[in-house]
Amino acid sequence: MADHQEAGTPITVENAWPFTSVTHAFLEGRSAAVVVGSDLRVWDLDDRQLIRHVTLPYFPPEKDFKHGLRDVACTRVNGRVVAVTGGYDKTVRIVDLLAGAQVGDPLTGHTSTIWAVACGSLHGTPIALTAGDDTTVGLWDLRQRQPIGRPLTGHTKAVRSVAWGRVDGRSVAISSDRDTVLVWDLEASPPMPRPLEDLGGEVRAVALTAVGGRPVAVTGGEDVRLWDPLTGRPVGPPLFDGRDTFVSSLACGTLHGRPTVLAAIYGQHVRVWDLEEHRRIGPTPPGRYADEVPAHWTDPATGDVYDLTGDLVDDDGDRWKVVDYDGIEPIVCELPNDPTVAFGIVDAHQEFGLSSVITPGRHR
């Protein structure tokens, strides 16, 4: 995360179904990746060794087919680290990661595929949230291995993403069916949903975090947006750097003590945003990621060479400035300088023309 470079070589697996979800856990003080697909696997991230491979039994037992898992989340139950999964067989599984075995029978209640799983707590009890094609969000007591009340209803389409968090000390959930995003107060009886307003397009991923001590809901689609979960209204402008993107998943955390969001983009790359800077909290302007911006940059797709040593003027005569370099390409914005409306230089070239600074590549 410090230099945007991949850490070591990828972990590869032969003869495995495509993996559909990954999460993180600490097992006996060691950092581990928990990955699901047709089964569940755990890798020690320090030495990159597979330490658990769990094949879950069919349910019902007489069915003989590969059920396939769609999502996984981890938490602690009675001092044990467990993974909670959901998938095509409509059941919720609890797996003790140290023992490498399923805990009890699968939890049933959903009537179709479970797409998303999140873990949290409610009144001190570890819980799981599950979302699926049946348009509901399930709430589960992981100690008793049973549902808490009836499924949460309010969506009219398949629910594809769900997350847990705290807002003003209360346990809440956020869920999305791509066209509607609902925030649920889990401590209300019954939990009542509050919709987010003016989503700005389809939403594929949701998260809950805090910025400057304030609770924030985060959504991902054509861009990343921040919301006040108490009012359902946007907080600040969308996080967007000018590239054609579509966010498929989100994760929130901290980097150097600052709140950040990681957004995985269809197209094999990940964006990282500083939530404080992009919300323009405080008087200081956004900081620059790169210590140094290249004087020349070559587009690997076309071979075009961009000369960034002089004035950057588009084909309409408007002036631009290189404001950053994210390790992929230079980031530019039109003057007067407004870093919240920035573009990758390739998109700026295609949209506005930067002919005066480009030497076309031979294989353009």
Side-chain angles (χ1 to χ4, degrees):
M1 290 301 299
D3 59 8
H4 284 209
Q5 299 298 311
E6 184 176 353
T9 57
I11 297 172
T12 58
V13 183
E14 296 181 356
N15 302 319
W17 276 27
F19 296 123
T20 55
S21 181
V22 60
T23 191
H24 179 266
F26 281 108
L27 291 179
E28 298 181 316
R30 296 181 69 83
S31 189
V34 182
V35 184
V36 295
S38 62
D39 46 26
L40 183 147
R41 306 181 191 220
V42 184
W43 276 275
D44 185 313
L45 292 179
D46 292 321
D47 58 18
R48 296 177 179 251
Q49 295 296 312
L50 180 68
I51 56 177
R52 295 290 184 275
H53 184 184
V54 184
T55 300
L56 299 178
Y58 299 127
F59 185 84
E62 63 271 14
K63 286 194 175 181
D64 185 14
F65 64 94
K66 286 192 176 296
H67 50 269
L69 302 172
R70 290 298 313 183
D71 201 14
V72 60
C74 290
T75 188
R76 282 187 174 271
V77 179
N78 298 327
R80 306 285 290 184
V81 180
V82 302
V84 183
T85 69
Y88 291 107
D89 71 353
K90 313 170 192 176
T91 70
V92 179
R93 314 289 188 111
I94 304 172
V95 179
D96 185 321
L97 293 183
L98 283 177
Q102 182 173 297
V103 179
D105 293 330
L107 309 182
T108 60
H110 281 283
T111 59
S112 56
T113 299
I114 298 171
W115 289 101
V117 179
C119 289
S121 66
L122 180 62
H123 305 307
T125 297
I127 63 170
L129 294 154
T130 54
D133 271 344
D134 58 10
T135 75
T136 70
V137 175
L139 185 60
W140 309 87
D141 182 324
L142 295 179
R143 284 184 182 148
Q144 301 298 323
R145 300 199 303 275
Q146 63 184 20
I148 301 175
R150 296 184 176 181
L152 307 183
T153 58
H155 290 283
T156 59
K157 297 179 180 179
V159 187
R160 295 299 183 98
S161 56
V162 67
W164 176 90
R166 290 195 181 278
V167 175
D168 288 349
R170 296 176 70 85
S171 182
V172 302
I174 183 172
S175 56
S176 170
D177 63 16
R178 298 192 176 178
D179 293 328
T180 303
V181 177
L182 301 177
V183 178
W184 308 81
D185 182 347
L186 299 179
E187 300 189 20
S189 183
M192 298 299 295
R194 178 190 298 277
L196 300 185
E197 302 175 359
D198 302 324
L199 296 176
E202 186 176 304
V203 171
R204 295 287 184 93
V206 294
L208 285 162
T209 188
V211 178
R214 296 173 54 190
V216 172
V218 186
T219 62
E222 295 180 3
D223 48 31
V224 173
R225 300 189 180 213
L226 278 61
W227 312 81
D228 184 333
L230 295 173
T231 65
R233 296 177 180 174
V235 177
L239 309 184
F240 176 65
D241 61 9
R243 296 186 179 89
D244 292 330
T245 60
F246 206 96
V247 176
S248 58
S249 61
L250 293 172
C252 293
T254 58
L255 181 63
H256 306 310
R258 301 179 67 85
T260 57
V261 60
L262 277 68
I265 312 293
Y266 287 122
Q268 301 181 348
H269 55 272
V270 175
R271 294 279 184 268
V272 184
W273 278 284
D274 183 314
L275 296 182
E276 286 187 346
E277 290 182 346
H278 281 260
R279 281 184 52 201
R280 290 180 152 186
I281 294 177
T284 57
R288 198 173 76 181
Y289 164 70
D291 294 330
E292 185 177 356
V293 175
H296 296 83
W297 180 76
T298 301
D299 183 350
T302 64
D304 293 347
V305 179
Y306 292 75
D307 183 350
L308 307 178
T309 58
D311 292 335
L312 206 60
V313 180
D314 66 25
D315 293 354
D316 293 327
D318 296 319
R319 297 178 63 241
W320 291 69
K321 179 181 179 181
V322 179
V323 295
D324 208 346
Y325 176 68
D326 65 356
I328 300 172
E329 63 179 306
I331 307 300
V332 298
C333 68
E334 189 174 4
L335 296 178
N337 189 7
D338 182 2
T340 64
V341 184
F343 294 82
I345 198 167
V346 173
D347 280 347
H349 172 205
Q350 293 175 350
E351 185 73 20
F352 303 99
L354 295 170
S355 304
S356 62
V357 299
I358 293 174
T359 301
R362 287 179 294 178
H363 60 283
R364 179 169 177 73

